């Protein structure tokens, strides 16, 4: 979108700036790589289209399968036997005709609106008109999806939620283990009282991805197809709409995770969706009002990157664990995670700029993660460097256990310590200085 102002003009408001950095598609792109990512800080969804289907991947930063339960070290087991982050569940809404096939489009727009962190799709075809919108609410811990369809014909839609775990292909660049059954155990699907979802037992925790369907001018029935899949059938005359509330909850057992997910959804259903959106919109307005940049028109590309980087960070950097630098909360291919450890250098571009952008709050998870690693860093310093200090390696698992295989790289600890000092200088937070930064400095 071309700017309507120049740097020499009066400084524009953030509300004027942000629409110029929205992601906009004028034709359907049926590829998850170009999906629309939304998030609440620790969980969220990726939306993309098939020719007749809306796909939604639900994920959370804290879905960690702690297969290797040692207290220190990592990277010593064969692949598929290391602690990894896994994906949540996928929702697929099939409309029964090619509403999103490019050849049939009369009018089309898919948009990721940065100002209010909302994904939307509008499509007009010979089959009818479709409107879709979704946002991930931090206040309600759920993603709210709205779907409206008008057609000359009676409508019959199916919506399924499924989880099929898989190998993570940790060493995809060199080899893989011949264990195609890996990741498939511990899944169960359920449908009850207007709710449906799946639970997954992991090593060390469990999670539930669940949804509540609220039809308007439509009928809905729920079916458990098998332990991996649950399905809803939605039917009506030539016009129907529905809301789908979706959440991912992590707990100590699958039963507790399921109970928590259903409680979250029940509470969300009792709040008017427009009220949930108003809270969500205000939270994002407050976020964007903390800082902005305006560059000359020939520097639109770095300006785009600045806004998108902050958007991604606010979507996914407020969980118990840092978001992975590859997939973040938007992995879409089963449990595959490229470079599934946490690498200091790969992650630094997502962490270094945040204080200067006036968003130090987005680094609290990251620095807490590094502080928890301190006893391991002391042990590695003794064992590898024969020192009484601390040594941070480039590589750790998502629980913070570090590998000694990168012991020749002596820069990471100094950069982490310098980042903590910078964080204190920006925030003036003396509790952070005393409890987190000084033990490492």
């Amino acid at each position: 979108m071309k700017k309507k102002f120049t740097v020499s003009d009066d400084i524009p408001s953030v509300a004027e700036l942000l629409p110029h950095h929205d992601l906009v598609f004028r034709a359907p792109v049926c590829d998850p790589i170009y999906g629309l990512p939304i998030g609440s800080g620790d969980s969220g969804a990726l939306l993309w289209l098939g020719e007749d289907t809306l796909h939604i991947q639900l994920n959370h930063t804290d879905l960690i399968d702690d297969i290797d339960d040692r207290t220190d070290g990592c990277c010593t087991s064969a692949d598929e036997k290391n602690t990894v982050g896994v994906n949540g569940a996928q929702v697929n809404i099939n409309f029964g005709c090619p509403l999103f096939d490019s050849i049939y489009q009369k009018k089309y727009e898919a948009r990721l609106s940065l100002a209010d962190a909302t994904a939307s799709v509008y499509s007009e075809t010979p089959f009818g008109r479709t409107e879709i919108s979704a946002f991930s609410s931090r206040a309600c811990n759920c993603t709210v999806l709205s779907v409206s369809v008008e057609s000359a014909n009676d409508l019959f839609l199916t919506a399924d939620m499924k989880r099929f775990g898989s190998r993570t292909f940790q060493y995809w660049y060199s080899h893989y283990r011949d264990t195609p059954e890996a990741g498939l155990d511990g899944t169960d699907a359920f449908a009850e009282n207007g709710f449906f979802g799946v639970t997954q037992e992991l090593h060390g925790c469990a999670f539930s991805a669940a949804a509540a369907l609220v039809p308007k001018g439509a009928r809905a029935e729920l079916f458990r197809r098998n332990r991996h899949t649950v399905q809803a059938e939605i039917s009506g005359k030539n016009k129907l709409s529905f809301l789908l509330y979706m959440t991912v909850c992590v707990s100590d057992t699958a039963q507790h995770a399921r109970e928590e997910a259903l409680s979250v959804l029940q509470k969300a259903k009792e709040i008017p969706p427009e009220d949930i959106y108003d809270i969500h919109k205000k939270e994002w307005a407050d976020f964007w009002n903390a800082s902005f940049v305006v560059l000359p028109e020939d520097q639109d590309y770095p300006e785009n990157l600045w806004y998108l980087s902050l958007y991604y960070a606010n979507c996914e950097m407020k969980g118990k664990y840092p978001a992975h630098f590859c997939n973040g909360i938007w992995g879409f291919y089963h449990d595959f995670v490229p470079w599934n450890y946490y690498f200091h250098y790969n992650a630094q571009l997502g962490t270094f700029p945040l204080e200067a952008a006036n968003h130090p709050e987005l680094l609290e998870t990251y620095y807490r993660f590094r502080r928890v690693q301190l006893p391991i860093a002391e042990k590695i310093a003794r064992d590898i460097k024969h020192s009484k200090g601390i040594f941070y390696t480039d590589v750790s698992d998502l629980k913070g256990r570090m590998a000694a295989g990168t012991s020749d790289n002596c820069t990471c600890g100094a950069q982490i310590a310098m980042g903590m000092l910078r964080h204190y200088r920006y925030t003036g937070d003396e509790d952070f200085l005393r409890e987190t930064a000084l033990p490492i400095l």
Side-chain angles (χ1 to χ4, degrees):
M1 183 182 296
K2 190 173 180 61
K3 294 179 183 177
K4 300 293 192 296
F5 48 80
T6 67
V7 177
S8 61
D9 293 332
D10 292 337
I11 296 175
S13 68
V14 178
E16 291 176 290
L17 278 170
L18 284 169
H20 298 280
H21 303 287
D22 289 351
L23 297 180
V24 181
F25 296 87
R26 300 300 186 193
V29 181
C30 297
D31 187 333
I33 291 175
Y34 301 100
L36 302 178
I38 54 177
S40 67
D42 58 5
S43 60
L46 181 72
L47 287 75
W48 74 97
L49 301 171
E51 291 185 351
D52 58 2
T53 304
L54 170 66
H55 303 286
I56 307 159
Q57 177 69 39
L58 303 173
N59 284 334
H60 197 293
T61 58
D62 300 353
L63 307 186
I64 296 179
D65 196 8
D66 196 13
I67 299 172
D68 189 337
D69 60 359
R70 291 172 298 166
T71 58
D72 61 356
C74 67
C75 301
T76 57
S77 301
D79 48 337
E80 315 310 334
K81 294 186 178 180
N82 281 297
T83 293
V84 294
V86 299
N87 286 339
Q90 190 176 118
V91 175
N92 306 284
I93 301 173
N94 187 288
F95 291 84
C97 58
L99 291 175
F100 310 116
D101 189 332
S102 295
I103 198 171
Y104 296 116
Q105 298 305 315
K106 295 180 178 180
K107 185 177 181 180
Y108 180 88
E109 180 183 279
R111 177 182 292 265
L112 178 64
S113 171
L114 299 189
D116 58 355
T118 297
S120 61
V121 178
Y122 179 87
S123 172
E124 288 185 18
T125 69
F127 310 107
R129 180 169 61 86
T130 307
E131 294 183 74
I132 298 166
S133 68
F135 63 92
S136 293
S137 164
R138 184 163 184 81
C140 290
N141 189 26
C142 69
T143 294
V144 182
L145 174 77
S146 172
V147 176
S148 177
V149 187
E150 292 185 24
S151 174
N153 303 308
D154 288 351
L155 293 162
F156 183 86
L157 285 64
T158 60
D160 66 62
M161 180 182 289
K162 61 184 181 181
R163 171 168 170 79
F164 288 92
S166 75
R167 291 167 281 182
T168 60
F169 294 100
Q170 176 181 336
Y171 295 110
W172 54 271
Y173 50 87
S174 62
H175 66 273
Y176 67 92
R177 287 172 60 88
D178 189 18
T179 53
E181 68 279 2
L184 289 173
D185 291 338
T187 310
D188 195 18
F190 63 88
E192 61 178 49
N193 301 324
F195 300 103
F196 61 98
V198 296
T199 59
Q200 178 66 53
E201 292 277 5
L202 300 175
H203 298 85
C205 70
F207 72 87
S208 178
L213 179 63
V214 181
K216 299 179 180 179
R219 297 182 301 277
E221 294 185 77
L222 303 178
F223 305 91
R224 182 186 184 277
R225 294 304 186 193
N226 52 58
R227 66 186 180 93
H228 294 276
T229 306
V230 61
Q231 182 173 298
E233 294 181 351
I234 310 163
S235 59
K237 294 298 182 181
N238 59 351
K239 183 177 181 179
L240 66 80
S241 61
F242 61 89
L243 294 172
L244 194 62
Y245 298 86
M246 299 169 284
T247 192
V248 180
C249 292
V250 187
S251 190
D252 55 341
T253 68
Q255 180 63 30
H256 289 162
R258 173 174 165 172
E259 291 170 356
E260 182 179 345
L262 296 186
S263 176
V264 165
L265 295 172
Q266 183 60 48
K267 291 176 182 177
K269 284 174 57 180
E270 294 170 359
I271 304 172
E274 56 271 19
D275 290 354
I276 299 176
Y277 172 73
D278 286 344
I279 296 170
H280 169 79
K281 183 178 180 180
K282 184 182 184 307
E283 288 174 345
W284 276 90
D286 292 343
F287 173 80
W288 290 119
N289 281 324
S291 61
F292 68 94
V293 298
V294 183
L295 300 178
E297 194 162 334
D298 62 354
Q299 296 180 39
D300 275 355
Y301 182 66
E303 188 177 312
N304 285 335
L305 292 182
W306 192 88
Y307 285 100
L308 282 171
S309 296
L310 285 184
Y311 173 80
Y312 297 146
N314 199 40
C315 282
E316 64 175 358
M317 292 185 69
K318 296 178 178 177
K320 182 179 180 181
Y321 300 99
H324 194 269
F325 60 88
C326 284
N327 289 346
I329 54 172
W330 300 297
F332 54 83
Y333 185 61
H334 300 285
D335 288 330
F336 170 59
V337 183
W339 304 100
N340 60 15
Y341 288 116
Y342 195 85
F343 291 75
H344 167 73
Y345 286 99
N346 298 57
Q348 66 184 1
L349 289 179
T351 58
F352 281 7
L354 293 174
E355 284 108 353
N358 199 27
H359 286 292
E361 77 280 1
L362 295 179
L363 284 163
E364 292 176 4
T365 292
Y366 172 74
Y367 288 132
R368 183 170 61 246
F369 174 72
R370 292 305 190 187
R371 176 64 177 86
V372 169
Q373 290 179 295
L374 182 57
I376 304 172
E378 291 175 320
K379 182 178 187 303
I380 290 180
R382 292 193 302 270
D383 295 348
I384 304 300
K385 294 298 182 182
H386 310 293
S387 165
K388 293 182 180 179
I390 61 174
F391 186 83
Y392 280 89
T393 67
D394 180 27
V395 182
S396 68
D397 69 12
L398 292 170
K399 288 282 187 174
R401 295 169 296 213
M402 289 182 279
T406 54
S407 58
D408 291 335
N409 187 336
C410 299
T411 311
C412 304
Q415 289 181 329
I416 291 166
M418 184 170 61
M420 290 186 173
L421 179 60
R422 183 174 63 240
H423 189 74
Y424 167 67
R425 285 177 170 171
Y426 270 98
T427 64
D429 185 342
E430 294 190 0
D431 288 339
F432 171 83
L433 176 66
R434 181 173 54 254
E435 298 168 10
T436 301
L438 280 178
I440 290 173
L441 288 165

